Structure formats: C-alpha cells, structure tokens
Amino acid sequence: MFLAQYLGLLEQSSQVLADAFDQVGAAHADEPDVEHTCKILAGHARDHVRTLRPIIDRYGEQGDPEPDRLAAAEFGGTRSGGVGLLRDLQDLYALASFVDITWTVVEQAGQGLRDQELVELAAEREADTARQLTWLQTRMKQAAPQALIVG
C-alpha cells in the first residue's frame, strides 16, 4: 500500500506551506492584512500536520523529497515591493494547490479503505486549504493592478 507515501508527502508539504506563509507574512509586514492572514493560515497548516498524526500512526508514513523540491522550485524566498508581493502570493498558491490536491487523493484512499475518520479529516482539511486558495486568489486580484500598472 502506498498510502504511507502520500501521508508523508502530505505532512511534509503542509509543513512547507506553513513555513512559507510565515515567511511571506514577515516579509510583507508593511501590508497588515497579509502579515495577519499569513500568520493565521500558517497556523491552520500546522494544525493540519498535527491532526494528521493519528492517521500516520495508523498507516505509517514514508518520507518523500518532493515537498522540498517543490518549495525550492516554487518558493525560493520572499521578494520586496508590489510585484514581489504578487509573486510571493503566486508561490504560496502553487504550494497550497499541491497540498489541496494531496488531501483530495488521500480522501479517496480513505474512501477505498472505508476509513471514515480519514475521509472526514481529509474532507475538512481540503476545505481549509480551499479557503487558503480563495484568500490567495482574492489578494492577488487586489494586488495586481497596483503592482502591474502603477508600479
């Protein structure tokens, strides 16, 4: 069974996402909504890692270098200025999208295993991640005109 591999992938990618939210929030502290919301969303991602622990204890986990590669490719650090904020939000969106679809895949495995606890956890956490994506998309729409036109 390869579920352990995906559980490890989910745990690692959620932690990478939490760390990235922290970095973006700190780097763009001049944007109070970004700093505050990133702090909240980082906490949600860390909560996902914590609540995944009982499932990992049940099925095991296998480490995977993919989240580190994804973080390196998509999030090489923060940038400054309006365009930098826009790019940082795009990077967060890519990371959150990876986490989102991984929750979906894990939920499907839970359905196949008839593990109601796993199905419910994955559905709840996928919904949380979808809210993260919605905020990111909304904030990018807000930032884009100022960053790209006014400069």
Side-chain angles (χ1 to χ4, degrees):
M1 178 169 23
F2 293 99
L3 179 57
Q5 182 178 358
Y6 263 78
L7 292 174
L9 186 63
L10 188 53
E11 182 182 44
Q12 291 171 294
S13 60
S14 293
Q15 186 60 55
V16 166
L17 180 60
D19 294 343
F21 271 122
D22 281 338
Q23 291 174 32
V24 170
H28 298 285
D30 57 328
E31 300 278 345
D33 68 311
V34 172
E35 179 184 31
H36 177 72
T37 304
C38 282
K39 191 176 293 187
I40 290 169
L41 297 179
H44 289 174
R46 284 191 180 84
D47 186 52
H48 292 185
V49 173
R50 184 187 56 75
T51 59
L52 191 57
R53 182 51 42 197
I55 303 299
I56 289 172
D57 291 344
R58 185 177 317 140
Y59 294 108
E61 73 177 313
Q62 181 179 342
D64 191 311
E66 190 64 31
D68 293 333
R69 284 196 301 261
L70 182 65
E74 292 298 333
F75 196 76
T78 58
R79 303 161 184 94
S80 61
V83 173
L85 171 61
L86 190 58
R87 293 292 309 277
D88 290 348
L89 293 172
Q90 283 184 272
D91 289 352
L92 284 172
Y93 192 90
L95 290 169
S97 294
F98 183 82
V99 170
D100 183 65
I101 196 63
T102 306
W103 276 118
T104 300
V105 169
V106 167
E107 181 183 358
Q108 293 301 305
Q111 289 180 7
L113 291 166
R114 294 189 167 98
D115 183 334
Q116 194 59 34
E117 180 185 3
L118 176 55
V119 169
E120 290 173 8
L121 177 69
E124 290 169 9
R125 297 312 183 221
E126 190 279 328
D128 288 346
T129 309
R131 282 188 290 278
Q132 291 173 340
L133 289 167
T134 298
W135 177 79
L136 288 164
Q137 187 175 41
T138 300
R139 193 58 178 85
M140 283 187 284
K141 286 178 180 180
Q142 181 185 9
Q146 180 71 23
L148 300 178
I149 297 170
V150 178

